[in-house]
Amino acid sequence: MKRISKLFVFSVTIFICFSLNVQAKDGWIQDGDVWYYYQNGSKVKNKCKEIYYGAIGRNAWFCFDEQGIMLSNTEETFNGKTYSFDENGVRSESYYDKNGVLIDSSKSGWVQMDDVWYYYKSGKPVTGLKTLEYSGGSGKFYFNDDGQMEVGFMTIEIKGKELDVYFDEEVGYMVTNTTRQIDGETYRFYKDGSYEEATGETLSDDEEDDYIDEDEDELIDEDDTDYDFDDDTDAIISSGGNSSGGSSSNGGKPTESTYKYNSKIKKNSCESVNNVIDFLMALLDGIHIFIPIILILMGSIDLTKSVLSSDEKMMKMATSSFIKRCLAAVIVFFVPVIVELLFSLPGLPSIKSSVCSIIRHYFISF
């Protein structure tokens, strides 16, 4: 009997020691200069695992070879992706795919590095001509083969056709449908981004007054010849002769100042509209945040009062009122957001350009 008791005690002791040993080998274990990671008493082998790393205060990826040794100070390929590992074994967030292209999953959207702008999509920089969103709306941007955004005058291929275009040197979007002075020279830009140099001097305020017909509010040339302009390109599509019935001294051809002033009228009219829209948008931003808060607070107050009163009928009415106010709050909050998102979709005009086009069409004659 004593032998059996001793054997039982010995077995229990061995079991407890084994259990303690298994529990001890859970998590990080260092053996000499190498590290292992144990999970449920077994080494993690030939795989990568996301593990909390106290040195950086968040999870990081670590990889282990077929013997369970943590990889460090090396590069290894897993499932066609080549990663680098630092001295602490932390796997890089970027990797090279099977084609040797660097993919950086930590980068997305607009990224500036060394004063150069890139646009990342699916972990890699885009190249070529792209229509993208930016703080001022939507525009076309050009990125070279390294993904770097290009600015200034360039010759690029658009729909199989080579065009000389200009990309704004501050923001980077392709300039279209406007007249702009660059390095002392005036250029007229068309809808497709192409341009031509507009020679001539800038008009003074007194000279500009000479180009408005007070009765018809039309643009006229120095010899009183009336001109109609294309809304998209500012190009002249017809001339009506001068008001005295005679022919113009320059054969009906407008002076360069005519082109300039037409563009200036459009620009000034839209600037005024844009100021009003900016004010209204700022007002709406405040409304669509504060109104929902007020509605929910009012509903909560009424609901609290009904609960304290212990009146079942009042509680039902307050609950119904609270739900309605919450629905109204959701509508007030999300409708402006949805409208703004719709106008920011690629291919659609912005709110400012849409309103400006309507005012031009119905209230301003060119």
Side-chain angles (χ1 to χ4, degrees), residues 107-121 124-128 130 132-135 141-151 167-173:
K107 295 182 175 66
S108 178
W110 287 104
V111 176
Q112 187 179 31
M113 295 184 290
D114 298 327
D115 296 326
V116 177
W117 282 99
Y118 302 79
Y119 190 88
Y120 276 79
K121 188 174 182 181
K124 59 183 178 181
V126 300
T127 59
K130 303 293 181 184
L132 302 171
E133 299 294 320
Y134 68 104
S135 58
F141 298 80
Y142 186 80
F143 303 87
N144 62 23
D145 291 341
D146 295 324
Q148 300 172 331
M149 185 183 75
E150 298 281 4
V151 297
F167 293 90
D168 182 83
E169 296 190 28
E170 290 187 4
V171 181
Y173 59 81

Side-chain angles (χ1 to χ4, degrees), residues 152 173 179 192:
Y173 59 81
T179 299
D192 61 355

Side-chain angles (χ1 to χ4, degrees), residues 25 31 66 80 92 130 135 154 204 264 268 270 277 306 314 341:
K25 288 191 176 182
D31 184 5
E66 61 275 3
S92 62
K130 303 293 181 184
S135 58
M154 294 184 62
S204 66
K264 186 170 184 178
N268 290 342
C270 279
I277 293 175
S306 67
M314 186 180 291
L341 284 174

